[in-house]
Amino acid sequence: VELMEARKNQDQVQMKTILEEMNKVVYGEGVTPQIREDFLMQHGCTGFTDEILQYLVRTFEHRGIVEVGSGNGQWARALSDHYHGISQNQSNKSWDFIVAYDNMEQLPLSPKVYHKNT
């Protein structure tokens, strides 16, 4: 209601204040919509570290992984790259370490727009 009233009155200062408060609630303190979008493009909804990638590759290197709900495939790509970087000199496996699946219905970033960038 406040935002609609500020918009109606063209109160730019009030609109900015309300949007900043909304962003704090939605994205967290100090996180802008652009920072969140950049994070989503790089990691998907949940971030990963080299340590977790290494753990998953070591744990599943002989079995592989099926990732259900893979979104635009950031985790799958990172795991595959990590797997091939580690196992490159150890074996000559010709199989996919990770198979990613998503029906693309619930993505925060549209695959039509972002898939080529992630």
Side-chain angles (χ1 to χ4, degrees):
V1 176
E2 288 178 46
L3 182 58
M4 291 181 355
E5 190 66 31
R7 184 172 180 221
K8 179 180 168 186
N9 295 329
Q10 295 296 308
D11 185 343
Q12 299 295 322
V13 173
Q14 183 65 17
M15 286 192 295
K16 183 177 184 237
T17 302
I18 293 168
L19 290 172
E20 286 172 353
E21 283 300 312
M22 286 173 49
N23 287 338
K24 275 193 235 176
V25 171
V26 173
Y27 304 114
E29 185 75 37
V31 180
T32 65
Q34 185 61 55
I35 291 170
R36 177 65 178 155
E37 183 176 344
D38 292 346
F39 179 90
L40 288 170
M41 286 179 65
Q42 182 177 359
H43 296 287
C45 291
T46 306
F48 49 82
T49 63
D50 286 336
E51 291 80 17
I52 192 62
L53 295 175
Q54 182 173 356
Y55 171 81
L56 292 169
V57 167
R58 292 285 184 216
T59 302
F60 299 103
E61 66 184 318
H62 300 293
R63 295 176 272 180
I65 295 174
V66 174
E67 181 189 8
V68 177
S70 62
N72 284 309
Q74 294 93 330
W75 271 77
R77 189 172 300 107
L79 280 164
S80 181
D81 291 349
H82 204 80
Y83 172 78
H84 290 293
I86 288 175
S87 66
Q88 187 174 27
N89 299 322
Q90 295 176 6
S91 71
N92 225 357
K93 293 181 183 175
S94 61
W95 58 288
D96 290 328
F97 171 69
I98 183 162
V99 176
Y101 170 79
D102 200 306
N103 67 6
M104 309 303 234
E105 289 181 359
Q106 300 293 320
L107 297 183
L109 295 176
S110 169
K112 292 177 185 171
V113 176
Y114 291 98
H115 191 70
K116 67 182 183 290
N117 299 319
T118 58

